[in-house]
Amino acid sequence: MLKELTGKCIIVGDNIDTDQIYPGRFLALTDPKEIGSHCLSGIDENIASTFPKGGFVVAGRNFGCGSSREHAPIALLNMGAVAILADSFARIFFRNSINLGLLPVICKGINQKVKSGQTLTLDINKGIVKVEETGEIFECEKLGEQAMKILEAGGIKPMMRAKFAE
């Protein structure tokens, strides 16, 4: 079962597309650390180098729109993000994230209330995010049982490997 996650956050806006998350000019890279170092460089070239490892990306509406490239959640994971909290997600990004082991959480309005650098605690089982500095609590949408099983296994591939190893 996923436990509580606590970390610092950064704030990005609405309609952050997959090319902003991981620009196409880096698609030939294969080293996970290098991939992570270019994450969100379509917004700001310095985000990945200053991102708080084990932190959250907080976004507005339609996060992950654009192409269906899996590189976007892969880059976020390798940058050190534990979860993305957003008003809404592009459907294919949402599913790719779960399948790759990145936690996407719909938490409407949080991007308007928190500031970059604040510490958040996410309890996905209760469906809440707490801003540690203010004590403010936001309700989030809970994920379905199957999505939680995939995330708890670390993604769809580790889940299937474990299943077939039985």
Side-chain angles (χ1 to χ4, degrees):
M1 187 167 241
L2 288 173
K3 59 186 184 311
E4 283 188 347
L5 301 170
T6 300
K8 302 276 185 191
C9 71
I10 65 162
I11 312 299
V12 297
D14 293 330
N15 300 310
I16 302 300
D17 66 40
T18 54
D19 202 51
Q20 290 173 293
I21 299 168
Y22 192 68
R25 67 183 182 271
F26 301 118
L27 290 175
L29 299 176
T30 58
D31 176 58
K33 189 173 183 177
E34 195 173 358
I35 290 169
S37 75
H38 296 291
C39 188
L40 296 170
S41 62
I43 298 169
D44 178 341
E45 293 285 337
N46 299 312
I47 288 178
S49 64
T50 60
F51 185 79
K53 302 301 181 229
F56 299 92
V57 174
V58 177
R61 296 181 317 271
N62 202 26
F63 187 83
C65 58
S67 77
S68 61
R69 72 174 62 141
E70 291 180 333
H71 290 76
I74 290 169
L76 287 158
L77 283 165
N78 286 292
M79 179 179 72
V82 295
I84 311 302
L85 309 174
D87 280 354
S88 64
F89 292 91
R91 187 74 192 134
I92 190 73
F93 176 86
F94 187 87
R95 197 68 219 175
N96 281 342
S97 294
I98 290 169
N99 287 341
L100 291 163
L102 176 64
L103 180 58
V105 180
I106 296 172
C107 194
K108 294 186 186 295
I110 193 169
N111 67 315
Q112 300 295 318
K113 301 282 188 167
V114 300
K115 297 178 180 80
S116 285
Q118 286 185 311
T119 302
L120 307 179
T121 298
L122 168 65
D123 186 326
I124 192 62
N125 298 308
K126 291 181 181 175
I128 60 169
V129 174
K130 179 181 179 184
V131 180
E132 295 300 330
E133 289 81 358
T134 65
E136 191 168 7
I137 293 178
F138 295 88
E139 288 190 27
C140 303
E141 291 184 17
K142 292 182 181 181
L143 294 171
E145 184 180 333
Q146 188 62 25
M148 290 299 291
K149 284 181 184 177
I150 294 168
L151 287 162
E152 288 166 359
I156 193 80
K157 286 182 182 178
M159 185 176 105
M160 295 310 290
R161 281 187 195 112
K163 182 176 179 155
F164 289 120
E166 293 175 353

